[in-house]
Amino acid sequence: MIAPSILSADFARLADELAAIEGADWVHVDVMDNHFVPNLTLGLPIVQSLLKVTDIPMDCHLMIENPERWAPGYAEAGAYNVTFHAEATDNPIAVARDIRAAGAKAGLSVKPNTPIEPYLEILREFDTLLVMSVEPGFGGQSFIAHVLDKAKQVRRLVDAGELRLVVEIDGGINMDTIEQAAEAGVDCFVAGSAVYGTPDPAATVEVLRQKAIAVDAALSQRRTQSPPQ
Ligand code: DX5
Ligand code: ZN
């Protein structure tokens, strides 16, 4: 799945910018509060307006403090997936349950240097794991490859049937980096500048998707050729 991030879109023309990514699997909306991250973007009123003008499932990435207070509102508004940060709360399970009770998928995000081990036990409460591959706060940064170890670790648990969730990656995904993320077993790729920085965002989404699909096909073929012992 490809999830273009509207952080790199023209904020004065958001409805048009959503129309420009027709065919995207999710639209990724970065909510920043200038406290959890040193940047400020948009909040619930704008998300509510955006939901009225698109049928693309909305993936809200909350880079905010106090997600227990704010996250359920995004689910009630009709977001498809609501992701908050593990670093932002002491009670991630309660937040996940509130999001699900309000009708959305629940996602947990971890910053590049946050280990995944302490959260493995609670991932069964989630539908999505968002592995940050840049420090959250800004688009257009370079991909941090070491985070792929976390994606691989969780992918193994999903493949073993121990977890059921979408492994999503966010930050620095472009034509050059998407393949290594796909190789690590990522299911959903957020891309901001790589999509909106091109003249035809919808066509770019398709090229990115084909690159990920090609890696996936090669992985499946490898698996069939050498079945696990
Ligand atoms: C960064 C945001 C990302 C951002 C990615 O904090 O969470 O979603 O839009 O932008 P690119 O794809 O340009 O790295
Ligand atoms: Zn994001």
Side-chain angles (χ1 to χ4, degrees):
M1 293 193 289
I2 307 294
S5 164
I6 58 165
L7 185 61
S8 295
D10 178 350
F11 274 25
R13 301 172 40 254
L14 284 176
D16 296 341
E17 296 282 62
L18 290 175
I21 52 162
E22 204 193 346
D25 299 279
W26 289 358
V27 56
H28 184 87
V29 177
D30 290 302
V31 174
M32 304 187 191
D33 66 353
N34 199 30
H35 289 271
F36 181 73
V37 286
N39 197 5
L40 183 68
T41 53
L42 51 85
L44 188 55
I46 293 180
V47 164
Q48 286 167 329
S49 295
L50 294 176
L51 283 162
K52 290 184 198 147
V53 298
T54 186
D55 293 329
I56 304 173
M58 194 171 290
D59 176 31
C60 289
H61 176 195
L62 308 184
M63 285 160 276
I64 61 171
E65 289 180 352
N66 201 2
E68 37 281 271
R69 163 74 180 82
W70 300 106
Y74 291 84
E76 281 156 21
Y80 179 77
N81 182 83
V82 179
T83 290
F84 59 93
H85 270 264
E87 304 87 356
T89 175
D90 292 330
N91 201 346
I93 294 179
V95 184
R97 288 182 181 169
D98 286 351
I99 291 170
R100 282 176 159 180
K105 307 278 184 201
L108 186 73
S109 184
V110 283
K111 297 205 271 186
N113 293 324
T114 300
I116 194 67
E117 285 77 12
Y119 301 103
L120 291 177
E121 278 297 309
I122 65 161
L123 283 181
R124 69 190 73 246
E125 302 274 347
F126 289 85
D127 304 287
T128 310
L129 172 71
L130 178 61
V131 176
M132 288 305 299
S133 40
V134 297
E135 285 302 328
F138 299 91
Q141 304 180 74
S142 301
F143 184 70
I144 300 171
H146 74 72
V147 308
L148 292 178
D149 290 340
K150 290 186 268 192
K152 285 181 199 158
Q153 202 175 339
V154 173
R155 173 89 261 149
R156 277 195 292 271
L157 295 173
V158 172
D159 287 347
E162 288 174 40
L163 283 175
R164 275 185 63 174
L165 43 73
V166 170
V167 181
E168 185 179 13
I169 197 155
D170 182 9
I173 291 293
N174 56 37
M175 298 290 175
D176 299 325
T177 55
I178 191 165
E179 284 157 328
Q180 46 182 305
E183 183 90 21
V186 169
D187 306 295
C188 182
F189 307 84
V190 176
S193 47
V195 168
Y196 279 107
T198 55
D200 187 344
T204 304
V205 166
E206 191 49 33
V207 176
L208 287 168
R209 183 186 284 127
Q210 289 311 322
K211 279 183 176 276
I213 287 173
V215 171
D216 209 41
L219 284 177
S220 312
Q221 203 180 359
R222 241 184 276 159
R223 244 178 263 135
T224 352
Q225 279 164 359
S226 54
Q229 299 302 306

